[in-house]
């Protein structure tokens, strides 16, 4: 069973920064994942993509307001992925989830980490 554990969320003021981490259980490799990324869900809204990484390490950002403020990256080890959040805005308040999938598997989700940005 693949397990994803997010951490790093918290409460910050607008303009602040957070670094979210996602640790994947051992025995799997993120560098061959078909799906690897961060998603978020704000209260009363549907879950949305934030940033994803291809197996080749190409980053994609979703939303014109996200690119330039958020950065997704893989760790030096084979089982971690990060999301650096800079210049946070109140509208970034949400539960942030890490997700991953490999060929032939369903998508695995973490439990989420809360990010709260106050004005």
């Amino acid at each position: 069973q693949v397990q994803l554990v997010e951490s790093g969320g918290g409460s910050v003021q607008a303009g602040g920064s957070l670094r979210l981490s996602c640790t994947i259980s051992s025995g799997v490799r993120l560098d061959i994942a078909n799906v690897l990324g961060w998603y978020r869900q704000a209260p009363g809204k549907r879950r949305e993509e934030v940033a994803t990484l291809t197996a080749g390490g190409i980053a994609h950002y979703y939303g014109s307001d996200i690119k330039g403020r958020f950065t997704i990256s893989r760790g030096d080890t084979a089982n971690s992925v990060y999301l650096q959040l800079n210049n946070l805005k109140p509208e970034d308040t949400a539960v942030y989830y890490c997700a991953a999938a490999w060929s032939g598997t369903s998508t695995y989700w973490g439990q989420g980490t809360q990010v709260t940005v106050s004005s």
Side-chain angles (χ1 to χ4, degrees):
Q1 180 72 16
V2 177
Q3 292 185 324
L4 288 71
V5 179
E6 301 99 332
S7 62
S11 297
V12 298
Q13 291 188 329
S17 298
L18 288 171
R19 188 187 193 216
L20 306 184
S21 299
C22 175
T23 300
I24 316 292
S25 53
S26 61
V28 298
R29 289 173 53 187
L30 299 185
D31 58 340
I32 58 172
N34 292 336
V35 173
L36 179 63
W38 288 91
Y39 299 73
R40 67 185 181 185
Q41 187 167 19
K45 296 187 177 181
R46 65 175 182 84
R47 190 173 297 186
E48 62 179 3
E49 290 175 307
V50 174
T52 57
L53 274 175
T54 67
I58 305 298
H60 294 279
Y61 299 94
Y62 301 85
S64 59
D65 192 41
I66 288 176
K67 191 173 183 179
R69 297 192 299 124
F70 295 0
T71 303
I72 186 172
S73 61
R74 280 201 301 258
D76 292 336
T77 60
N79 65 341
S80 57
V81 60
Y82 305 101
L83 186 67
Q84 179 69 39
L85 311 175
N86 293 329
N87 191 21
L88 282 161
K89 304 177 180 181
E91 51 264 42
D92 294 319
T93 295
V95 178
Y96 285 71
Y97 298 91
C98 176
W102 292 263
S103 178
T105 76
S106 57
T107 300
Y108 295 93
W109 295 88
Q111 82 289 350
T113 186
Q114 176 72 46
V115 172
T116 302
V117 185
S118 58
S119 57

